[in-house]
Amino acid sequence: MTLRDVYEAVLIELNKVQAPSLLVKDFVYLYNKATQEYFNKRYNLFEVNQQLTDDLRVLTKTVKLFPVKETGDVFGQSYRCDLPFNYVHILNCICEFEDRKPTKACDDGSTVFQQGANKLDTNQWSSVINNYYMRPSVKQPYYYIINIQDPNKAGIADSVKMNDVLNGTEKRYGNSV
Protein backbone atom coordinates (compact mmCIF):
# COMPACT_ATOMS: atom_id res chain seq x y z
CA MET A 1 0.00 0.00 0.00
CA THR A 2 1.39 3.38 -0.98
CA LEU A 3 0.94 6.67 0.82
CA ARG A 4 -1.42 7.75 -1.93
CA ASP A 5 -3.57 4.66 -1.34
CA VAL A 6 -3.75 5.52 2.37
CA TYR A 7 -4.72 9.12 1.56
CA GLU A 8 -7.47 7.99 -0.82
CA ALA A 9 -8.80 5.52 1.77
CA VAL A 10 -8.89 8.28 4.40
CA LEU A 11 -10.81 10.54 1.99
CA ILE A 12 -13.32 7.75 1.34
CA GLU A 13 -13.83 7.22 5.09
CA LEU A 14 -14.20 10.95 5.67
CA ASN A 15 -16.81 11.14 2.90
CA LYS A 16 -18.87 8.41 4.60
CA VAL A 17 -19.23 10.41 7.82
CA GLN A 18 -19.63 13.72 5.95
CA ALA A 19 -16.57 15.23 7.62
CA PRO A 20 -14.78 18.25 6.15
CA SER A 21 -12.08 17.60 3.56
CA LEU A 22 -8.52 16.98 4.66
CA LEU A 23 -5.64 19.01 3.24
CA VAL A 24 -2.60 17.09 2.01
CA LYS A 25 -0.39 19.00 4.44
CA ASP A 26 -2.61 17.97 7.38
CA PHE A 27 -2.75 14.38 6.15
CA VAL A 28 1.06 14.16 5.95
CA TYR A 29 1.36 15.53 9.49
CA LEU A 30 -1.23 13.11 10.91
CA TYR A 31 0.22 10.15 8.98
CA ASN A 32 3.76 10.84 10.26
CA LYS A 33 2.47 11.32 13.80
CA ALA A 34 0.52 8.04 13.71
CA THR A 35 3.49 6.18 12.25
CA GLN A 36 5.84 7.51 14.91
CA GLU A 37 3.39 6.69 17.72
CA TYR A 38 3.06 3.15 16.38
CA PHE A 39 6.74 2.37 16.21
CA ASN A 40 7.43 4.11 19.55
CA LYS A 41 4.82 1.84 21.11
CA ARG A 42 6.32 -1.23 19.42
CA TYR A 43 9.91 -0.13 20.20
CA ASN A 44 9.20 -0.37 23.94
CA LEU A 45 8.48 -4.07 23.45
CA PHE A 46 11.11 -4.75 20.76
CA GLU A 47 12.54 -8.30 20.82
CA VAL A 48 10.13 -9.47 23.55
CA ASN A 49 8.74 -12.02 21.12
CA GLN A 50 9.08 -12.85 17.44
CA GLN A 51 5.90 -11.02 16.37
CA LEU A 52 7.07 -7.72 17.87
CA THR A 53 10.54 -8.15 16.35
CA ASP A 54 8.99 -8.83 12.94
CA ASP A 55 6.80 -5.71 13.21
CA LEU A 56 9.86 -3.45 13.38
CA ARG A 57 12.34 -5.60 11.44
CA VAL A 58 11.96 -3.50 8.29
CA LEU A 59 12.72 -0.33 10.25
CA THR A 60 15.98 -1.55 11.77
CA LYS A 61 19.24 -0.83 10.05
CA THR A 62 22.90 -1.30 10.91
CA VAL A 63 25.09 1.69 10.13
CA LYS A 64 28.83 2.07 10.52
CA LEU A 65 29.72 5.60 11.59
CA PHE A 66 33.18 7.08 11.43
CA PRO A 67 34.07 9.27 14.40
CA VAL A 68 35.77 12.64 14.37
CA LYS A 69 37.94 13.53 17.36
CA GLU A 70 36.57 16.51 19.29
CA THR A 71 38.94 19.22 20.45
CA GLY A 72 38.22 21.35 23.48
CA ASP A 73 35.14 19.29 24.35
CA VAL A 74 33.58 19.52 27.83
CA PHE A 75 33.56 15.71 27.99
CA GLY A 76 37.34 15.38 27.84
CA GLN A 77 38.71 13.16 25.07
CA SER A 78 35.70 12.24 22.98
CA TYR A 79 34.63 11.57 19.43
CA ARG A 80 31.67 12.84 17.47
CA CYS A 81 29.57 10.93 14.96
CA ASP A 82 26.82 12.42 12.87
CA LEU A 83 23.73 10.21 13.04
CA PRO A 84 21.95 9.27 9.81
CA PHE A 85 19.13 11.58 8.71
CA ASN A 86 16.57 8.81 9.30
CA TYR A 87 17.74 7.96 12.85
CA VAL A 88 14.94 7.55 15.39
CA HIS A 89 16.01 5.04 18.08
CA ILE A 90 19.30 3.34 18.83
CA LEU A 91 19.18 -0.33 19.76
CA ASN A 92 22.88 -0.77 20.54
CA CYS A 93 26.29 0.72 19.94
CA ILE A 94 29.50 -1.19 19.23
CA CYS A 95 32.83 0.63 19.15
CA GLU A 96 35.71 -0.62 17.06
CA PHE A 97 39.24 0.02 18.28
CA GLU A 98 42.68 -0.64 16.87
CA ASP A 99 45.23 -2.09 19.26
CA ARG A 100 48.47 -0.27 18.54
CA LYS A 101 50.50 -2.41 20.97
CA PRO A 102 49.23 -5.98 20.60
CA THR A 103 50.60 -8.53 23.04
CA LYS A 104 52.33 -11.52 21.53
CA ALA A 105 50.68 -13.99 23.92
CA CYS A 106 47.21 -13.25 22.55
CA ASP A 107 48.21 -12.17 19.07
CA ASP A 108 45.87 -13.75 16.53
CA GLY A 109 47.00 -11.45 13.74
CA SER A 110 44.18 -8.95 14.21
CA THR A 111 44.79 -5.57 15.79
CA VAL A 112 41.14 -4.47 15.55
CA PHE A 113 38.69 -5.40 18.28
CA GLN A 114 35.11 -4.47 19.11
CA GLN A 115 33.62 -3.46 22.44
CA GLY A 116 29.98 -2.82 23.29
CA ALA A 117 29.30 0.70 24.52
CA ASN A 118 26.96 1.59 27.37
CA LYS A 119 24.48 4.44 27.11
CA LEU A 120 25.46 7.35 29.31
CA ASP A 121 22.61 9.39 30.78
CA THR A 122 23.01 13.02 31.80
CA ASN A 123 22.70 12.22 35.50
CA GLN A 124 25.38 9.49 35.28
CA TRP A 125 28.13 11.66 33.81
CA SER A 126 29.11 13.34 37.08
CA SER A 127 29.48 9.95 38.78
CA VAL A 128 31.33 8.26 35.93
CA ILE A 129 34.09 10.87 35.56
CA ASN A 130 35.00 10.67 39.28
CA ASN A 131 34.82 6.89 39.65
CA TYR A 132 38.03 5.07 38.74
CA TYR A 133 36.20 1.83 37.95
CA MET A 134 33.43 3.44 35.88
CA ARG A 135 35.40 6.00 33.88
CA PRO A 136 35.36 5.69 30.08
CA SER A 137 38.12 3.61 28.55
CA VAL A 138 38.76 1.35 25.57
CA LYS A 139 37.45 -1.59 27.60
CA GLN A 140 34.43 0.40 28.87
CA PRO A 141 33.23 2.90 26.26
CA TYR A 142 30.10 4.99 26.58
CA TYR A 143 27.89 6.73 24.07
CA TYR A 144 25.91 9.87 24.73
CA ILE A 145 23.45 11.34 22.25
CA ILE A 146 23.11 15.10 22.26
CA ASN A 147 21.82 17.63 19.78
CA ILE A 148 24.54 20.00 18.68
CA GLN A 149 22.89 23.16 17.44
CA ASP A 150 24.16 24.01 13.98
CA PRO A 151 24.09 27.82 13.69
CA ASN A 152 23.38 27.51 9.96
CA LYS A 153 20.14 25.59 10.62
CA ALA A 154 18.99 27.26 13.85
CA GLY A 155 16.75 29.83 12.19
CA ILE A 156 14.95 27.51 9.78
CA ALA A 157 11.20 27.89 10.17
CA ASP A 158 8.89 24.90 10.57
CA SER A 159 7.06 25.92 7.38
CA VAL A 160 10.32 25.61 5.40
CA LYS A 161 10.93 22.19 6.94
CA MET A 162 7.38 21.10 6.03
CA ASN A 163 7.85 22.32 2.45
CA ASP A 164 11.04 20.24 2.25
CA VAL A 165 9.02 17.18 3.32
CA LEU A 166 6.22 17.86 0.83
CA ASN A 167 8.66 18.54 -2.04
CA GLY A 168 10.61 15.35 -1.35
CA THR A 169 13.77 17.24 -0.42
CA GLU A 170 13.46 16.44 3.26
CA LYS A 171 16.48 17.21 5.41
CA ARG A 172 17.05 15.88 8.91
CA TYR A 173 16.66 18.69 11.45
CA GLY A 174 15.99 16.43 14.47
CA ASN A 175 13.42 13.89 15.62
CA SER A 176 9.99 14.69 14.28
CA VAL A 177 6.96 15.42 16.45
Side-chain angles (χ1 to χ4, degrees):
M1 179 178 268
T2 65
L3 189 58
R4 181 181 175 143
D5 295 336
V6 173
Y7 181 65
E8 289 173 355
V10 167
L11 291 178
I12 290 169
E13 291 300 317
L14 287 175
N15 194 26
K16 288 180 183 177
V17 294
Q18 297 177 350
S21 61
L22 184 64
L23 298 174
V24 174
K25 186 192 248 185
D26 295 335
F27 170 76
V28 170
Y29 169 79
L30 292 171
Y31 181 83
N32 287 335
K33 185 175 179 179
T35 303
Q36 185 171 8
E37 285 178 7
Y38 174 78
F39 67 69
N40 279 342
K41 185 177 177 181
R42 299 308 253 181
Y43 172 76
N44 289 331
L45 302 171
F46 188 67
E47 292 185 344
V48 170
N49 61 40
Q50 189 62 43
Q51 177 65 45
L52 296 172
T53 303
D54 289 345
D55 284 350
L56 291 179
R57 176 180 45 87
V58 295
L59 298 176
T60 60
K61 182 177 175 182
T62 300
V63 178
K64 186 171 185 175
L65 303 175
F66 296 95
V68 176
K69 188 171 184 176
E70 288 289 314
T71 56
D73 192 21
V74 295
F75 296 110
Q77 182 180 352
S78 61
Y79 295 85
R80 176 183 54 84
C81 293
D82 293 327
L83 294 173
F85 76 94
N86 58 354
Y87 163 79
V88 179
H89 294 293
I90 190 166
L91 297 173
N92 64 45
C93 178
I94 300 171
C95 298
E96 192 171 272
F97 298 99
E98 182 179 357
D99 189 359
R100 295 188 180 173
K101 297 178 185 175
T103 59
K104 293 184 181 185
C106 299
D107 190 11
D108 63 352
S110 175
T111 59
V112 175
F113 66 96
Q114 296 177 335
Q115 185 71 33
N118 296 313
K119 183 174 185 336
L120 185 65
D121 296 329
T122 54
N123 61 344
Q124 293 174 327
W125 178 246
S126 60
S127 301
V128 166
I129 60 172
N130 294 323
N131 186 329
Y132 179 81
Y133 298 102
M134 298 287 292
R135 70 181 181 196
S137 68
V138 171
K139 295 292 183 185
Q140 188 166 333
Y142 293 94
Y143 69 93
Y144 181 63
I145 299 174
I146 56 175
N147 184 25
I148 303 296
Q149 186 74 25
D150 185 348
N152 297 327
K153 296 179 183 174
I156 297 175
D158 288 339
S159 60
V160 173
K161 295 175 192 175
M162 181 58 81
N163 284 336
D164 288 344
V165 171
L166 294 175
N167 295 332
T169 59
E170 179 180 8
K171 300 172 186 77
R172 184 67 175 188
Y173 298 107
N175 281 348
S176 59
V177 188

